[in-house]
Amino acid sequence: SEEDDWHNRLCDMELHFAPLPENLDLRATTLHALQDPASYIESSFAGRLALYVDGSARGHAAAWSVIAVEYDGQGLPTLLGALSGQVELNHSSTQWIGATNADNVAAELTASIAAHLAAIALGHPAFTVIRPDLKLSAMLSTSTWSCQSHSDLAAIARWLGAWFAQGGGTCNEVRGHSAHPWNDLADSVARHALSVATPVGAIDFDFCHQLLISGDIAWAWIGLQPPCYAQCLPPNGVSTSWLAQPSLRKVGAPPSS
């Protein structure tokens, strides 16, 4: 493809986390963590940004959320904000990134993609850990499992996972339903997004949409290869493409027997 450089396009993506929405149903553990964060120090995440992701589905709708928590040098957490929205199923929408139906898998994968996009766009993946509560999301982002449903959505999740890992980012599963305050908050925000049409924060999925409809997702892995890999490919005439050049060599007729 002769699309613009995907890395630059991602860095130009609209992204901002927002405060928690009004009338949010919070669980007791989350409320306590917001009031007394010193009781929830996690030294293993000291100096890092953690993105907690979750999804929820009900009836014909599915929604996702990302919660950003910054840990200081001792592991004291500070809530930075949230992202949430509903899973887009309309293929013509610029926010559609491959979901084929509204189920929990689509919700969890969309949340994971949003977190990976945010981590890469913020420019510090080595200091970021993504924390899903679904093992599928963690396995997809590390390319240790594939997903038969939502194959396009899964392809984007695998590619972004590889990009994120190449920059030093890590994925650390948090046990669901374990009364973890920030995982519970991600669940609450995702459930809230199911009933409220207005998203929390802003993230533009057009980057992934264009990658998908252009067909570039099938070749995006090339951009993650080391420079020596490019030397094994045909000369490129466009900075983001590999173009086969006509050969000047001629094939002679086989010798007669």
Side-chain angles (χ1 to χ4, degrees):
S1 166
E2 296 186 13
E3 292 286 344
D4 296 335
D5 179 72
W6 290 115
H7 182 273
N8 291 334
R9 295 188 64 177
L10 187 150
C11 292
D12 292 338
M13 174 188 69
E14 179 186 8
L15 169 70
H16 76 263
F17 287 84
L20 298 178
E22 296 182 0
N23 302 317
L24 182 64
D25 184 17
L26 295 175
R27 295 178 184 172
T29 308
T30 302
L31 278 170
H32 188 238
L34 291 171
Q35 296 167 351
D36 183 21
S39 296
Y40 297 88
I41 290 176
E42 294 189 70
S43 57
S44 59
F45 298 130
R48 306 188 74 182
L49 171 67
L51 300 177
Y52 293 85
V53 304
D54 206 358
S56 184
R58 182 178 63 244
H60 299 291
W64 57 272
S65 71
V66 179
I67 302 299
V69 177
E70 184 178 51
Y71 292 87
D72 71 7
Q74 284 70 48
L76 180 71
T78 298
L79 176 65
L80 297 184
L83 290 171
S84 74
Q86 294 197 352
V87 174
E88 180 61 66
L89 299 177
N90 180 1
H91 292 213
S92 62
S93 169
T94 60
Q95 302 305 298
W96 178 74
I97 54 174
T100 56
N101 56 283
D103 58 20
N104 196 59
V105 173
E108 295 277 358
L109 289 182
T110 303
S112 179
I113 288 171
H116 281 84
L117 284 172
I120 297 169
L122 290 173
H124 302 288
F127 298 98
T128 306
V129 56
I130 293 176
R131 306 208 66 192
D133 68 353
L134 183 69
K135 194 171 186 178
L136 163 64
S137 298
M139 295 177 72
L140 271 173
S141 66
T142 54
S143 298
T144 55
W145 199 75
S146 59
C147 181
Q148 295 300 319
S149 61
H150 308 290
S151 57
D152 289 334
L153 200 61
I156 293 175
R158 284 195 301 272
W159 174 62
L160 289 173
W163 189 349
F164 176 63
Q166 189 177 79
T170 57
C171 190
N172 186 293
E173 181 186 357
V174 57
R175 181 75 63 178
H177 310 292
S178 61
H180 189 288
W182 311 121
N183 178 63
D184 284 352
L185 179 56
D187 179 71
S188 295
V189 173
R191 290 176 182 274
H192 183 269
L194 272 177
S195 55
V196 178
T198 304
V200 174
I203 184 168
D204 189 358
F205 287 121
D206 181 61
F207 167 82
C208 292
H209 177 74
Q210 295 300 328
L211 186 75
L212 191 61
I213 64 173
S214 69
D216 276 11
I217 186 61
W219 303 101
W221 60 272
I222 293 179
L224 300 178
Q225 304 309 306
C228 60
Y229 184 85
Q231 297 173 11
C232 302
L233 299 175
N236 58 308
V238 180
S239 60
T240 56
S241 304
W242 295 108
L243 305 176
Q245 303 296 316
S247 174
L248 298 178
R249 302 174 68 179
K250 303 297 182 182
V251 178
S256 57
S257 54

